[in-house]
């Protein structure tokens, strides 16, 4: 993925999030405590697979990335580009990198590759059935 694609992903993330924030009173509808609990459980599961030698493209990792995407969709449903932009944000924003690295020093890079694989596969790039119900 070249720099222009990454720039497009960053731009898509910024535009889509701004539109969503404006249209939802700063994501007032989101149970943030629940989201953070769910991400905590998820990141611990991913870390266990990472420590076990799993690869970002492995089926079980992609299923976990699907769960990550479903949690993101509690805020809004990002395009493929915005979702890849989110992985770039995790890597480039100091606070986000520190947060993810608190789980595992390689989590940001691992998630970046896994999210790109998920976005490239592209099948059913929408929330899973029932994902909204857990919001």
């Amino acid at each position: 993925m070249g720099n222009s694609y990454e720039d497009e992903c960053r731009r898509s993330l910024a535009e889509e999030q701004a539109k969503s924030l404006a249209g939802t009173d700063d994501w007032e509808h989101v149970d943030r405590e629940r989201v953070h609990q769910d991400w905590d459980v998820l990141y611990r599961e991913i870390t266990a697979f990472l420590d076990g030698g799993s690869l970002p493209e492995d089926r079980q990792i992609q299923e976990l990335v699907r769960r990550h995407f479903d949690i993101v969709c509690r805020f809004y449903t990002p395009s493929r580009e915005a979702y890849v932009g989110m992985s770039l944000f995790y890597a480039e924003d100091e606070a986000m990198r520190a947060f993810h690295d608190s789980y595992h020093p390689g989590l940001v890079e691992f998630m970046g590759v896994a999210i790109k694989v998920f976005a490239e596969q592209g099948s059913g790039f929408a929330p899973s059935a029932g994902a909204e119900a857990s919001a």
Side-chain angles (χ1 to χ4, degrees):
M1 290 188 208
N3 286 340
S4 64
Y5 178 72
E6 289 181 354
D7 289 343
E8 177 186 347
C9 292
R10 287 180 191 96
R11 189 172 37 259
S12 293
L13 176 67
E15 290 172 1
E16 291 176 30
Q17 283 188 346
K19 182 179 177 182
S20 177
L21 283 162
T24 62
D25 194 23
D26 293 333
W27 295 324
E28 185 63 32
H29 65 285
V30 177
D31 180 346
R32 289 187 169 111
E33 184 177 332
R34 173 76 187 272
V35 164
H36 288 287
Q37 290 170 355
D38 291 346
W39 265 326
D40 180 64
V41 168
L42 179 65
Y43 289 148
R44 290 177 192 281
E45 289 179 50
I46 293 170
T47 295
F49 279 108
L50 189 102
D51 285 340
S54 291
L55 300 173
E57 63 272 12
D58 289 349
R59 181 190 52 76
Q60 66 269 32
I61 296 301
Q62 287 301 301
E63 289 171 2
L64 293 171
V65 172
R66 161 53 73 185
R67 282 180 37 207
H68 181 272
F69 180 78
D70 287 342
I71 295 169
V72 169
C73 288
R74 295 181 199 172
F75 295 88
Y76 75 104
T77 302
S79 66
R80 285 174 179 76
E81 293 78 16
Y83 193 50
V84 171
M86 184 174 294
S87 73
L88 297 170
F89 178 67
Y90 288 174
E92 295 166 354
D93 181 84
E94 189 175 316
M96 291 302 288
R97 177 174 279 283
F99 170 75
H100 288 85
D101 283 350
S102 71
Y103 287 92
H104 188 286
L107 184 60
V108 168
E109 283 75 18
F110 188 83
M111 285 295 294
V113 174
I115 285 172
K116 288 172 187 159
V117 168
F118 180 82
E120 289 168 3
Q121 289 177 352
S123 60
F125 208 79
S128 296
E132 298 290 324
S134 63

